[in-house]
Amino acid sequence: MAAVDSPNQTVGSGHISAPLTDFSLGYHPMGFVADQLFPVVPVKKRNDLYYKWDKGQAFRLDRADGYGTMRADGARAKQEKFGATADGYVALEWAMETVITDEEESNADTALNLAQSRIRRAQDKVLLDYELRVATIATTTGNYTNSNVVTNVGATQWNNSGFSSLGTTGSGHSLIAAQLLTGIDTIRRNTGGLVPNVIVVPFSVAMVMANDPGLVDLKKYVTNLMAGDVFANLVPPMYMGMKVLIPTAGYITTNEGVSVGSLTDVWGKNVVLAHVETSPSLDSLTFGYTIRSRPWQVKTFRDEFTDSTIHRPSFVQTEKLVAQDCAYLIAAAIA
């Protein structure tokens, strides 16, 4: 006689659960922009020197009428010895290890792909530290002269209830746009003509800008102001001639085992305008560099005392602010 299924049997109770072989869930910090603000410069040595040419000599003229370099017939041209000062760097190794015991390896489900997945997570930690270091350099007000930084407070913060983006006169001008233009002009004046080509707008700030009545009003007069990539509803990929970088990474510093809670935005609520040399070269000017003496490597070695395999992803580099004149910081842009 054929067996009869129990009336209580369901699809769930008739299946023995097992991990899927091609599916798993994982958290990864995303939205890094550090190497776009501080481009990577490969170097051979862990520590070395580089030269900074004197700024004053580059712009100082003998006369204000444009005749300072005139040479009379038969006379020698005026001479000037241009000076430079040396600055240095020291690159450090940044690394994270992950361990897989032989027992774990032999019993792990395929979907976990232990080595690849754990190495990626170790690399994530190193990259998250890198992002935090660059963000700290770029958003520390003490790294700027007074003319290159403004700190919004109270009603000047873009999301404050007392902030009037269209101005008190109702003239239709965006106060956010005016603040950005001030930053652009400050960089131009301090560098002798360079203008910023990059602007860092943290995601939380971008959401405020997307809903700002002053900037929305400008959209009526500028075609495709808000058009762009995946963040098209926030800010455009280019704005006022600057490439828009929208960092989204967050971090926590709570102890392991403690409830995660909310993450802290790496870039906080600060906006950074900067001139970035996209192809670093001799005698170029830029906000900062990532000076890297060794690129990524993953070293794998055995620990026979614990029957484990250790994987260590790492690189050797330092992040250096080289010309603060090339940047302008709007600290605490929003509350």
Side-chain angles (χ1 to χ4, degrees):
M1 182 176 180
V4 178
D5 286 341
S6 165
N8 294 324
Q9 187 178 36
T10 64
V11 173
S13 62
H15 169 70
I16 299 176
S17 297
L20 298 175
T21 59
D22 57 357
F23 177 74
S24 65
L25 295 174
Y27 289 94
H28 298 281
M30 306 293 287
F32 295 141
V33 302
D35 60 351
Q36 297 182 71
L37 189 66
F38 281 23
V40 176
V41 177
V43 295
K44 294 181 179 180
K45 305 294 184 180
R46 282 204 179 195
N47 60 282
D48 227 324
L49 300 175
Y50 60 90
Y51 288 103
K52 301 173 69 172
W53 289 97
D54 184 73
K55 176 181 176 181
Q57 290 179 329
F59 300 109
R60 187 176 297 111
L61 296 177
D62 292 333
R63 297 175 52 155
D65 58 3
Y67 281 78
T69 55
M70 181 182 66
R71 172 181 172 270
D73 183 36
R76 294 290 301 269
K78 292 182 179 179
Q79 295 182 354
E80 184 168 357
K81 292 183 178 180
F82 297 95
T85 57
D87 200 350
Y89 70 87
V90 177
L92 303 172
E93 181 176 11
W94 309 94
M96 175 70 68
E97 291 183 359
T98 184
V99 180
I100 302 174
T101 66
D102 293 348
E103 187 72 13
E104 284 182 305
E105 183 69 35
S106 62
N107 288 285
D109 292 303
T110 303
L112 289 176
N113 199 358
L114 281 181
Q116 180 178 332
S117 297
R118 286 187 178 176
I119 289 172
R120 179 182 176 184
R121 281 161 174 77
Q123 289 175 318
D124 285 346
K125 287 292 200 64
V126 177
L127 286 173
L128 191 54
D129 261 352
Y130 172 29
E131 187 81 4
L132 184 57
R133 290 194 303 274
V134 172
T136 300
I137 293 172
T139 61
T140 297
T141 57
N143 287 335
Y144 297 81
T145 60
N146 290 338
S147 64
N148 280 60
V149 60
V150 62
T151 301
N152 289 352
V153 179
T156 64
Q157 293 180 303
W158 301 344
N159 62 344
N160 186 278
S161 59
F163 179 71
S164 179
S165 180
L166 289 171
T168 56
T169 62
S171 58
H173 298 296
S174 166
L175 294 186
I176 292 180
Q179 200 166 35
L180 296 179
L181 288 170
T182 296
I184 292 172
D185 191 50
T186 299
I187 293 173
R188 178 195 64 80
R189 288 185 287 105
N190 288 342
T191 60
L194 290 177
V195 293
N197 55 3
V198 165
I199 180 171
V200 180
V201 184
F203 196 90
S204 58
V205 179
M207 289 191 291
V208 172
M209 293 176 68
N211 290 304
D212 178 73
L215 293 180
V216 171
D217 189 66
L218 282 176
K219 183 180 178 182
K220 296 186 298 185
Y221 310 105
V222 182
T223 305
N224 294 327
L225 176 66
M226 307 300 278
D229 51 16
V230 68
F231 299 113
N233 61 325
L234 297 179
V235 293
M238 293 291 296
Y239 189 62
M240 294 185 178
M242 300 176 288
K243 179 182 178 182
V244 180
L245 303 180
I246 305 181
T248 59
Y251 71 98
I252 56 173
T253 56
T254 55
N255 294 329
E256 188 172 358
V258 179
S259 177
V260 172
S262 59
L263 277 67
T264 300
D265 285 334
V266 171
W267 286 85
K269 299 172 181 179
N270 312 284
V271 173
V272 179
L273 292 71
H275 176 81
V276 176
E277 183 62 48
T278 55
S279 299
S281 61
L282 187 67
D283 213 11
S284 60
L285 196 62
T286 192
F287 179 34
Y289 282 132
T290 297
I291 302 173
R292 184 173 293 172
S293 66
R294 178 170 59 71
W296 275 111
Q297 73 171 26
V298 179
K299 183 171 289 188
T300 299
F301 50 95
R302 288 283 299 172
D303 182 358
E304 296 298 346
F305 290 100
T306 59
D307 295 324
S308 302
T309 300
I310 300 172
H311 303 278
R312 182 199 296 156
S314 68
F315 53 48
V316 178
Q317 68 178 40
T318 189
E319 302 80 36
K320 184 88 174 180
L321 192 164
V322 295
Q324 66 90 20
D325 285 336
C326 287
Y328 185 87
L329 171 64
I330 303 174
I334 64 173

